[in-house]
């Protein structure tokens, strides 16, 4: 009776989803793991600051954040030969178990007094090795347990869980870090993945990856190596799409140092606690969600100028950090930055969709995914040395100014390309 009343509160498109027992089991576990990851945005950084040797907090913070992401990118590229044919349920369960085990070791080692920075980075790196595959398994599993006409609603519901975790997770972590400590927050993240692994194990037959050996339950690979290579060959023939890819790569790369610098700006420059860091990320997430929803309205404008404007706008939102603006101003700027940043991914994909022949789209998008996997983690890894050299406030401002310069360079290249097209003489037809 309770479930019937609950589903009546949902929009009509989502109600049929809850007629599937497997989906009802899976959704709360997915939401819990999303919330755990949302809290880890603050917890991973804050624990790195707490255990860092004197004068090395920036280096350890950059290494920790990179370790939480870069091995997942490497795993997506390196393990395809062995993992691409595994059932989706097994991939999701394997990723969840690894994350539960290794992240769970973090609070245990901290409580025992043996959480050395090297051990911390190693545990984070190990926990993320299969995460790209686990994410691919998540959406492949939804496709297996639901009929085709219900998959869009399921994807939207699960994606909304991820978006909500960006808003709720950091705020909750900022409060709990002062109560129980960041190490135990990472332990809660580990527990959420243990629950997810258990729930995947409860799914029936084929949905859990049992009972079929013919490859029908194989998950979609996060990166298809063969398609990536073919896609890169196609991209070489389309300079405009190469430009979109280069712009996106450098945009994500320049975002990395800012992600490392923000926690240290809170501690070193503002002398504040995890609550303020959580507030920064919560407001950014709220702005990004609203910005993402506004992407449809921006579709009426030329996509290239809008995309370049987003890049420049995000960069400008970071500049006040370097001017020593008070926290209330930079909080507003970070919120505005999230609002500006929100539509970027959707618009970038739209540019690819519009400029690519339909027959080659999946191949080109595979190349895009392969190329972009490294951008954020490499930028994050660079953040530590830059902070040690310049300081967190200066790195935030430098990231912003470099991003504005990227937009200016992109605009100049775009204008030059358009002029070449306009001045190119028309082809003469043979007599």
């Amino acid at each position: 009776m309770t479930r019937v009343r609950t589903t009546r509160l949902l929009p009509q498109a989502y109600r049929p989803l809850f007629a599937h027992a497997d989906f009802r089991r899976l959704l709360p576990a997915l939401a819990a793991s999303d919330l755990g990851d949302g809290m880890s945005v603050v917890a991973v950084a804050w624990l790195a600051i707490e255990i860092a040797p004197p004068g090395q907090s920036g280096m350890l913070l950059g290494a920790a954040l990179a370790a939480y992401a870069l091995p997942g990118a490497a795993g997506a590229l390196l393990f395809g030969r062995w993992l691409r044919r595994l059932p989706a349920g097994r991939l999701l369960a394997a990723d969840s178990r690894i994350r539960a085990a290794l992240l769970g070791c973090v609070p245990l080692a901290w409580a025992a007094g043996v959480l050395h920075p090297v051990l911390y980075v190693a545990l984070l790196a190990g926990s993320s090795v299969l995460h790209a595959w686990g994410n691919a398994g998540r959406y492949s599993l939804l496709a297996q347990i639901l009929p085709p006409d219900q998959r869009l609603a399921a994807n939207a519901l699960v994606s909304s869980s991820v978006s909500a975790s960006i808003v709720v997770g950091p705020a909750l972590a900022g409060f709990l870090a002062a109560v129980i400590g960041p190490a135990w927050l990472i332990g809660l993240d580990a527990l959420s993945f243990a629950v997810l692994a258990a729930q995947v194990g409860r799914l029936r037959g084929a949905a859990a990856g049992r009972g079929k050996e013919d490859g029908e339950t194989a998950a979609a690979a996060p990166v298809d190596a063969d398609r990536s290579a073919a896609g890169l060959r196609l991209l070489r023939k389309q300079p405009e799409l190469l430009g979109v890819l280069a712009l996106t790569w450098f945009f994500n790369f320049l975002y990395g140092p800012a992600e490392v610098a923000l926690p240290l700006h809170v501690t070193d420059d503002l002398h504040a606690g995890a609550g303020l860091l959580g507030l920064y990320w919560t407001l950014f997430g709220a702005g990004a969600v609203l910005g993402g929803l506004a992407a449809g309205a921006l579709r009426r404008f030329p996509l290239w100028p809008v995309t370049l404007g987003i890049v420049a706008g995000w960069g400008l939102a970071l500049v006040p950090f370097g001017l020593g603006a008070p926290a209330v101003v930079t909080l507003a700027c970070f919120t505005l930055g999230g609002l500006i940043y929100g539509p970027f991914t959707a618009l970038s994909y739209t540019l690819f969709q519009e400029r690519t022949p339909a027959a080659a789209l999946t191949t080109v998008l595979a190349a895009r995914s392969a190329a972009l996997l490294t951008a954020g983690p490499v930028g994050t890894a660079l953040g530590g040395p830059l902070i040690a050299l310049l300081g967190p406030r200066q790195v935030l401002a430098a990231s912003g100014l470099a991003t504005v310069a990227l937009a200016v360079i992109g605009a100049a290249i775009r204008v030059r390309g358009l002029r070449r097209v306009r001045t190119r003489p028309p082809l003469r037809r043979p007599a």
Side-chain angles (χ1 to χ4, degrees):
M1 180 65 101
T2 303
R3 181 168 62 84
V4 173
R5 289 177 178 174
T6 302
T7 55
R8 284 178 180 173
L9 299 176
L10 293 170
Q12 181 64 39
Y14 297 105
R15 294 177 191 173
L17 299 174
F18 293 89
H20 301 273
D22 284 339
F23 184 80
R24 292 199 308 270
R25 293 190 185 105
L26 191 60
L27 182 62
L30 291 174
S33 67
D34 290 337
L35 181 61
D37 277 345
M39 292 192 297
S40 289
V41 169
V42 172
V44 168
W46 206 257
L47 185 57
I49 293 172
E50 286 192 357
I51 68 172
Q56 297 185 25
S57 55
M59 297 294 290
L60 179 58
L61 180 55
L65 293 177
Y68 203 54
L70 190 55
L77 296 169
L78 298 177
F79 299 148
R81 180 179 178 182
W82 299 278
L83 298 180
R84 72 178 64 198
R85 297 189 182 279
L86 287 182
R90 290 185 185 177
L91 282 176
L92 180 56
D95 172 53
S96 299
R97 291 185 187 116
I98 288 174
R99 287 176 78 78
L102 295 182
L103 292 178
C105 289
V106 171
L108 296 178
W110 181 82
V114 296
L115 189 60
H116 188 274
V118 174
L119 175 62
Y120 181 50
V121 171
L123 289 172
L124 293 175
S127 74
S128 70
V129 166
L130 293 185
H131 201 42
W133 288 97
N135 193 57
R138 165 192 297 222
Y139 287 96
S140 297
L141 189 57
L142 291 175
Q144 291 167 19
I145 65 179
L146 295 169
D149 61 335
Q150 295 179 13
R151 291 171 187 169
L152 177 59
N155 290 337
L157 200 57
V158 171
S159 297
S160 297
S161 170
V162 176
S163 299
S165 72
I166 298 173
V167 179
V168 178
L172 186 60
F175 169 73
L176 291 177
V179 178
I180 63 174
W184 295 110
L185 286 178
I186 296 175
L188 290 177
D189 193 11
L191 180 61
S192 73
F193 279 102
V195 171
L196 178 57
Q199 289 295 79
V200 172
R202 293 180 60 201
L203 302 183
R204 295 172 297 181
R210 299 187 296 270
K212 286 192 178 182
E213 302 298 335
D214 58 2
E216 289 181 15
T217 58
V223 173
D224 188 314
D226 294 334
R227 283 186 174 178
S228 297
L232 288 174
R233 288 193 294 270
L234 289 172
L235 283 173
R236 292 193 192 103
K237 301 176 183 178
Q238 301 192 47
E240 185 179 23
L241 289 183
L242 273 178
V244 178
L245 183 59
L247 177 72
T248 307
W249 195 96
F250 281 105
F251 190 29
N252 292 346
F253 169 76
L254 292 172
Y255 171 82
E259 187 177 9
V260 180
L262 182 63
L264 290 173
H265 171 66
V266 170
T267 57
D268 295 356
D269 299 330
L270 302 179
H271 308 290
L276 181 59
L277 177 61
L279 184 58
Y280 271 108
W281 285 121
T282 296
L283 293 176
F284 173 86
V289 170
L290 293 175
L293 293 174
L298 295 174
R299 183 65 185 84
R300 296 175 296 174
F301 301 96
L303 291 181
W304 258 109
V306 171
T307 303
L308 290 169
I310 289 172
V311 174
W314 165 252
L316 290 172
L318 293 179
V319 172
F321 285 91
L323 301 177
V328 65
V329 174
T330 54
L331 281 168
C333 290
F334 217 59
T335 307
L336 179 61
L339 185 67
I340 294 170
Y341 185 89
F344 181 82
T345 299
L347 294 177
S348 175
Y349 269 112
T350 303
L351 278 168
F352 268 83
Q353 290 166 342
E354 289 195 347
R355 306 302 197 266
T356 306
L361 183 58
T362 56
T363 302
V364 169
L365 290 181
R368 179 188 185 278
S369 297
L372 295 182
L373 273 172
T374 58
V378 171
T380 300
L382 183 63
L386 286 177
I387 290 170
L389 181 65
L390 302 174
R393 179 179 290 162
Q394 289 74 19
V395 167
L396 283 164
S399 174
L401 291 172
T403 305
V404 173
L406 173 65
V408 172
I409 293 170
I413 294 174
R414 175 68 176 162
V415 170
R416 184 179 180 184
L418 290 175
R419 286 177 177 172
R420 283 183 176 180
V421 171
R422 291 170 182 169
T423 57
R424 185 179 299 165
L427 294 175
R428 294 183 179 179
R429 293 182 179 180

